[in-house]
Each structure stands twice: as C-alpha cells, then as structure tokens.
Amino acid sequence: MNLPFRFQDCLSRTFGRKKTLIAFAVLLLLGTILGLIFVTTPAIYDYHITVCDRFVNRVCFSDRSVLEIFLERVLGHTVLLLIVTLSGIHLVGCVFPPIILVFRAYTLGGSLYIFFSVYRFTGALIVIGLYLPIHLLVDFVLCCAGALSYARCRRFCFTRHDWLMLFFDFLVLFCFLLVIGLLEMLLLLALFHPIGNIF
C-alpha cells in the first residue's frame, strides 16, 4: 500500500468537492448560531450544562490518565467518522453527514455560551486552548468524509474496488483523527494535567 499516494489521492478528491465543503461549512455556522440563540431554553440549557460539566470533569480536570482520555475521545470521533464514511454507499445515507454536523455545531454553540457565561475565565481558557480548536479540526475531518461520501454515493457499486476506496479514505481520515487526538493529549498535558498523569 502506497500510503503517501493514498493521502494525496484522498485529499485531492476531497478538495475537488469545494462546493460540498462550503455547504458543510455554512451548515456548521448556522448550527453554531442556532445553538447560541436557543441555549437559554430550559431543557436545552440543562443539556449543555451537562455536556460542559462532563467535558470539564472528565477531560480537562480529570484524575484519569491522558492516554485513557485520548483513547476514549478518538474512539468517539472514529464512530462518527465511520458513520459519515459509510453514508456514501447509498444515496439515502447522505442525510447522515448534515445531521451529524448540524448537531455537533448546535452543541458547540450552546457549549460556547455555557463556558463563557458560567465558567468565566476558566471557561475561556478551556475554549481557546483546547475545546474550540480540537472541535473545529474534528469537524473539518468529518466535512472531508462527507464530501467524499457525496462524491461516492451515486456510483458506489459494492465491488471490491469501491470497498477498497472507501476503506482507504476512512484510513487516511482516521490518521488525521489520531493526529488531532495526539494534539489534544499534548494540550491537556501542557495546560490542565500534570506531566506525571500520562498513564
């Protein structure tokens, strides 16, 4: 397997779908705005408080090792990547990428409000130093997977070649998720966790 070629091929096909990527970016922006607008609704506010508390307590200021957090976070993002990648095997599956992206963006918008209004300075540090950059990087990977799925959905024939192409696309994007996970782990060590809390 020529891995550099796979990376180049995957990225060239992804950025060849500029309109799809722009559409996903608009969806992310709209979802974030809606999250900011509707976060004060009682039930939604409680949900976002729970999400932020869990992130602060289980990720930022947790007694768990950063390696455990890394594995947990990468696994969660990989499940989303797998769903978005597999959505391209049939036209009907193409509803999943926008749903996942809008939901993530909606949660992002509400969480930003909570972090800044409830956690104040600590929340701002978490958002700027960890939460927002990692969230946006994962969203970008999911947008790339969605663009590839949209390109694939009309011509996927369930042949060995098509399955191999799908597998290599997933593998390339999974490698990016691993890099993002490692970056998050380094940021946790630098900003929130003691150095001795690696394992």
Side-chain angles (χ1 to χ4, degrees):
M1 179 178 65
N2 189 343
L3 196 57
F5 168 76
R6 295 298 177 185
F7 271 86
Q8 182 181 3
D9 176 61
C10 178
L11 293 176
S12 65
R13 285 185 291 111
T14 299
F15 291 110
R17 304 279 301 184
K18 290 184 178 66
K19 292 181 180 178
T20 308
L21 290 173
I22 291 171
F24 284 152
V26 171
L27 280 178
L28 288 171
L29 180 61
L30 290 176
T32 304
I33 293 171
L34 288 174
L36 286 166
I37 291 173
F38 293 107
V39 67
T40 52
T41 306
I44 296 174
Y45 184 85
D46 291 342
Y47 168 76
H48 282 99
I49 280 284
T50 303
V51 169
C52 293
D53 284 344
R54 186 182 300 122
F55 187 81
V56 170
N57 296 324
R58 290 185 56 82
V59 177
C60 296
F61 302 113
S62 172
D63 291 331
R64 299 184 303 154
S65 71
V66 291
L67 184 60
E68 181 184 345
I69 294 170
F70 163 79
L71 293 173
E72 180 183 275
R73 301 271 294 163
V74 169
L75 178 61
H77 295 145
T78 302
V79 171
L80 294 179
L81 175 63
L82 184 61
I83 294 171
V84 175
T85 303
L86 289 175
S87 68
I89 67 176
H90 195 278
L91 195 61
V92 175
C94 289
V95 299
F96 291 107
I99 290 173
I100 290 172
L101 290 172
V102 169
F103 179 76
R104 280 179 56 83
Y106 185 82
T107 304
L108 171 65
S111 297
L112 291 177
Y113 177 90
I114 298 297
F115 277 126
F116 282 105
S117 64
V118 175
Y119 291 94
R120 307 289 181 173
F121 177 77
T122 304
L125 177 63
I126 291 171
V127 168
I128 296 169
L130 181 70
Y131 181 75
L132 185 59
I134 297 301
H135 200 289
L136 292 178
L137 286 171
V138 172
D139 283 342
F140 177 72
V141 172
L142 293 177
C143 285
C144 292
L148 290 171
S149 290
Y150 275 37
R152 179 181 295 116
C153 66
R154 292 184 180 276
R155 55 180 176 78
F156 193 83
C157 298
F158 295 91
T159 62
R160 182 175 180 272
H161 174 267
D162 286 351
W163 282 112
L164 278 175
M165 288 293 293
L166 186 147
F167 170 75
F168 286 128
D169 287 347
F170 173 81
L171 183 62
V172 168
L173 295 175
F174 174 70
C175 289
F176 283 113
L177 284 185
L178 286 178
V179 172
I180 295 169
L182 288 172
L183 174 61
E184 183 178 45
M185 187 169 70
L186 292 174
L187 289 172
L188 281 172
L189 280 174
L191 299 175
F192 303 105
H193 284 242
I195 296 297
N197 202 24
I198 297 177
F199 299 105

